[in-house]
Amino acid sequence: MRTPLMALASVREMQQLPPQARAAMRALLNDLRKDAKAKAERSWKANKGPLACYRKAVSVYAGHTARLLRDEAVACAEDAPR
């Protein structure tokens, strides 16, 4: 399944960043993903469903965005038709 983020024009711009910048953004997004996932689990256990859903969505989109910045994803995007 492809992430809906692939359809955004700004994704290509992000993929053209230097490798060090992409790595720093990936680290930030992965930290955000882990934090949001942990908070979603705590919210769910505290019976705060809407907040848990919001935090889970943040976690998923942060993870998807981080994956788009991997070197393999950049190489695939360069081969894809525009």
Side-chain angles (χ1 to χ4, degrees):
M1 177 177 186
R2 299 204 108 181
T3 173
L5 296 173
M6 289 295 293
L8 301 175
S10 58
V11 168
R12 286 193 188 94
E13 293 174 22
M14 287 179 56
Q15 290 176 331
Q16 292 174 359
L17 291 171
Q20 289 178 328
R22 286 197 321 266
M25 286 199 62
R26 232 180 13 255
L28 171 73
L29 289 163
N30 281 324
D31 284 348
L32 175 62
R33 178 186 60 82
K34 290 174 192 170
D35 182 62
K37 184 177 179 180
K39 287 180 178 176
E41 290 174 10
R42 284 196 302 272
S43 294
W44 187 256
K45 289 176 183 176
N47 294 319
K48 296 182 179 180
L51 185 58
C53 289
Y54 165 75
R55 288 179 168 161
K56 181 65 176 176
V58 168
S59 172
V60 169
Y61 271 96
H64 284 196
T65 306
R67 284 185 206 101
L68 291 173
L69 296 173
R70 291 184 309 192
D71 292 336
E72 303 86 38
V74 172
C76 289
E78 289 172 353
D79 295 339
R82 298 189 182 186

